[in-house]
Amino acid sequence: MKLRPIDTRPPQQVRVTLDGATYERLLAYLDYARAQGQVFEDVRQLLAEIARAFVDSGDKGFTAWYRASQASPQVARSTANGQDPPRPARLSEHASTPLPSVSGEGEEEAKGAGKAR
């Protein structure tokens, strides 16, 4: 048996307006559920259970989409003969490190720009 984690978030209230025919059918469903051994306090509790059941497993397409969207992205690590995968090539030191100015003007300009801000 797989147990669900307890949801500690506060319940959220949703206001729904139904047409008269749907409301009457929900009242009839309350009677049906009672005959089946399930007891709901009122139509609101019944609607909450219907919504929970539907989003948990009522729409297979939604269920598959939701699980895929909630899955944490996994980084694929391929290993060859039990070794770590090759590292990406590093940039050359010359390309990634700025060169100092011969006269030192670059340093002075950078300090001055920092003060001006």
Side-chain angles (χ1 to χ4, degrees):
M1 168 183 9
K2 186 174 183 179
L3 301 176
R4 284 190 282 174
I6 296 173
D7 188 356
T8 58
R9 295 171 291 189
Q12 301 298 310
Q13 189 171 15
V14 178
R15 185 174 180 173
V16 178
T17 303
L18 302 169
D19 61 82
T22 302
Y23 183 75
E24 288 178 6
R25 298 231 12 210
L26 286 170
L27 290 175
Y29 195 95
L30 286 173
D31 292 335
Y32 164 75
R34 194 172 299 114
Q36 301 297 315
Q38 292 180 314
V39 179
F40 297 98
E41 290 180 22
D42 55 13
V43 172
R44 287 187 300 173
Q45 188 181 35
L46 173 62
L47 282 173
E49 180 56 23
I50 289 170
R52 187 211 53 80
F54 183 76
V55 296
D56 280 356
S57 60
D59 184 331
K60 301 298 182 195
F62 169 74
T63 303
W65 172 85
Y66 185 76
R67 285 184 182 152
S69 69
Q70 297 300 309
S72 61
Q74 296 181 4
V75 177
R77 280 192 65 169
S78 60
T79 59
N81 298 328
Q83 298 176 357
D84 288 336
R87 293 182 181 187
R90 296 180 73 184
L91 295 174
S92 71
E93 297 261 344
H94 179 72
S96 63
T97 306
L99 295 174
S101 171
V102 174
S103 64
E105 292 172 2
E107 269 186 303
E108 293 301 318
E109 287 175 11
K111 287 180 185 177
K115 289 178 185 176
R117 289 183 190 173

